Amino acid sequence: MRKIFAFLVIFLCTVTNTAFCAQSQHHDWVWNVLVIPPLSGWESEPGKSISTALSWCEREISESSNGIGGHDVSFTKVNVSGDAEVMRSVRLNIDSHTIAVMSFSLSQEADRILVMRLAGMDIPLMIAGGENVLIDRGGRPIPNIFALDLYRDYRCFAFAEYAQRVFANDKEKRIALAASRFTVNQEREAKICYAMLDNAGFMPMPYWADASVHDTYRMMSEEIESYEGEKAGVVISFMGGMGAREIWRNFMRLRSSWRLWNVSEPDSTYLSCRGMVFADQNVLLDSMGGFIETKRLLWRTRAMRVEDTVAAGRVIALYEWLKRAIDVMPQPVDTMPRAALLRNLSQVQAIPFGNQVLNISSNLHRPFQRQVYIVEVSRNREYMNLDVVNARGLAYVPSY
């Protein structure tokens, strides 16, 4: 009886130790990526689509012969909303097995807080948007911060490029720039655009407004309209929402043939401004970005459905970005060399993003260029595509 009891004890200990060792080995085998949700949370349509795409990535890794660097990857969702205030205090469980943090918040304030919290660490923060988030210090990118969107001043390049197409045979056509000297981004971006237009052979007319002066927008509009009796052209407005609307209203009142190109993000608040033109890297991604193929890929390979195809496309882009940075390391990767990972992330090429292929700039930690849609507000209160230009990312300079 004692022999039977001793055998059972030995057997149970062996089984327990084996299970413990297997669990430990499994923990060592799996790398972790923390994932920040969209501002609307995981239960929203974008949140559900992101979750589905993350599950697709996990299965792709686990069912491949080598995983990523010889490891499986678990995308661990941070169960909070993407709200900025929450981001200040939410606990991010970063440990030795955490290889990246990905943010799909698409919230300027939330991502800024994440940048402040994580900047300078050896864990990469990969932002799925980041158009209005500075990831530079002193003109150089923060080593561990990366973003999928170009920074906001890409619109300067896009409008300068579009102007050359529209006025290719008539560079005497007038181009005016409207901005304020008292708003840092307005003045800086207006000067960038002025330099680009000047280099292209235009003679842009700068108008510097002071919003504290009564009727400043009316006076500016009338001065542009009557400028030496010349033929009409376009005003590129860096005045923000209120200023652009006021100039547009005054042109409507004057029945002016001058057109307004607005250096702002197009949103629903502008849909009453018929004829206003915008340049934007994201506005038509759902209809023209080629992400229907992403939807078909998830369904064809794993019978997974997504409704927000652009959100799913951002997941696939960040996944491929991270995967390719690890794949160029000597395989298998026993312990993640974090400095090498950051260096590799800054040099990844040919990331699929819908119908675009993105190459990362080591000087920006963003793509070299992105497709930018030139859109106009139509009579039907919709954004109608006029053209597509390839806009380069610009090195950030605080002032010009």
Side-chain angles (χ1 to χ4, degrees):
M1 191 70 179
R2 289 181 179 177
K3 289 182 179 180
I4 295 173
F5 179 75
F7 172 78
L8 288 173
V9 169
I10 293 170
F11 174 76
L12 289 173
C13 288
T14 302
V15 170
T16 302
N17 287 335
T18 302
F20 176 80
C21 290
Q23 184 178 11
S24 177
Q25 289 172 357
H26 176 72
H27 178 68
D28 290 340
W29 177 259
V30 179
W31 281 334
N32 184 38
V33 175
L34 296 183
V35 184
I36 307 298
L39 192 61
S40 51
W42 290 117
E43 295 306 313
S44 64
E45 201 61 69
K48 292 176 181 177
S49 297
I50 291 168
S51 295
T52 299
L54 290 170
S55 297
W56 182 89
C57 294
E58 282 188 349
R59 290 178 61 179
E60 282 287 296
I61 296 166
S62 65
E63 295 178 15
S64 65
S65 58
N66 296 316
I68 295 182
H71 295 256
D72 284 338
V73 174
S74 172
F75 292 92
T76 303
K77 295 186 291 185
V78 178
N79 288 315
V80 295
S81 71
D83 180 76
E85 290 306 311
V86 174
M87 285 300 106
R88 294 184 190 279
S89 57
V90 65
R91 184 177 178 182
L92 301 176
N93 295 315
I94 297 173
D95 59 23
S96 60
H97 295 282
T98 306
I99 59 170
V101 178
M102 292 182 178
S103 173
F104 295 91
S105 75
L106 299 186
S107 161
Q108 173 180 327
E109 291 305 318
D111 284 336
R112 281 178 178 172
I113 291 169
L114 283 171
V115 169
M116 287 190 291
R117 290 186 62 179
L118 299 180
M121 296 178 64
D122 58 5
I123 297 292
L125 169 61
M126 305 177 72
I127 300 172
E131 176 176 300
N132 293 299
V133 181
L134 274 177
I135 61 173
D136 300 69
R137 283 181 179 168
R140 298 177 63 85
I142 301 171
N144 68 313
I145 312 294
F146 304 85
L148 193 61
D149 281 356
L150 301 181
Y151 188 60
R152 52 177 289 165
D153 50 18
Y154 72 88
R155 293 187 175 90
C156 304
F157 186 101
F159 273 142
E161 184 73 15
Y162 183 55
Q164 293 183 68
R165 297 185 186 184
V166 173
F167 305 133
N169 300 316
D170 189 9
K171 289 196 173 181
E172 291 184 1
K173 193 94 171 179
R174 296 292 176 179
I175 296 182
L177 306 180
S180 168
R181 290 190 184 277
F182 303 102
T183 305
V184 174
N185 278 328
Q186 289 184 17
E187 180 179 13
R188 183 179 65 85
E189 292 171 7
K191 288 181 176 179
I192 293 172
C193 196
Y194 181 96
M196 290 181 170
L197 290 167
D198 184 54
N199 289 338
F202 291 97
M203 297 179 63
M205 303 178 293
Y207 288 86
W208 301 102
D210 183 352
S212 65
V213 176
H214 180 64
D215 280 348
T216 186
Y217 301 114
R218 179 185 60 80
M219 292 186 291
M220 177 186 291
S221 304
E222 291 176 351
E223 184 177 355
I224 293 171
E225 168 67 17
S226 62
Y227 183 78
E228 295 183 0
E230 296 287 347
K231 52 191 173 183
V234 299
V235 177
I236 304 178
S237 171
F238 298 83
M239 301 297 297
M242 183 188 74
R245 288 187 184 87
E246 286 301 313
I247 296 171
W248 177 83
R249 289 190 186 101
N250 279 291
F251 282 164
M252 293 296 104
R253 176 180 58 83
L254 296 169
R255 299 179 181 272
S256 174
S257 55
W258 280 76
R259 304 188 68 192
L260 191 140
W261 296 358
N262 189 355
V263 184
S264 296
E265 294 182 49
D267 58 37
S268 58
T269 64
Y270 291 107
L271 291 177
S272 60
C273 302
R274 179 168 55 87
M276 191 178 286
V277 174
F278 297 81
D280 195 79
Q281 62 188 329
N282 295 316
V283 63
L284 295 182
L285 279 179
D286 55 345
S287 58
M288 296 183 61
F291 291 100
I292 191 64
E293 291 303 319
T294 302
K295 183 175 185 176
R296 289 170 179 162
L297 173 67
L298 269 62
W299 175 251
R300 184 180 69 251
T301 57
R302 306 203 178 277
M304 292 181 172
R305 294 184 182 275
V306 292
E307 295 301 323
D308 191 327
T309 56
V310 177
R314 291 186 186 278
V315 172
I316 303 300
L318 292 195
Y319 157 70
E320 287 288 346
W321 192 348
L322 180 63
K323 178 179 182 295
R324 294 176 189 209
I326 297 172
D327 281 346
V328 297
M329 297 177 179
Q331 304 289 308
V333 182
D334 294 329
T335 302
M336 176 61 71
R338 298 189 181 276
L341 175 59
L342 297 182
R343 182 173 60 252
N344 292 350
L345 284 168
S346 71
Q347 301 171 358
V348 173
Q349 304 290 292
I351 299 170
F353 187 57
N355 57 15
Q356 302 179 61
V357 176
L358 307 181
N359 298 321
I360 303 305
S361 165
S362 60
N363 295 322
L364 302 174
H365 284 195
R366 299 175 185 266
F368 276 105
Q369 66 178 30
R370 283 270 303 268
Q371 288 181 358
V372 175
Y373 304 97
I374 309 297
V375 298
E376 179 182 10
V377 179
S378 70
R379 294 179 180 273
N380 298 326
R381 295 174 57 88
E382 297 176 343
Y383 286 113
M384 174 182 64
N385 188 60
L386 299 177
D387 205 345
V388 180
V389 301
N390 289 318
R392 289 204 314 265
L394 306 176
Y396 180 75
V397 179
S399 61
Y400 277 77

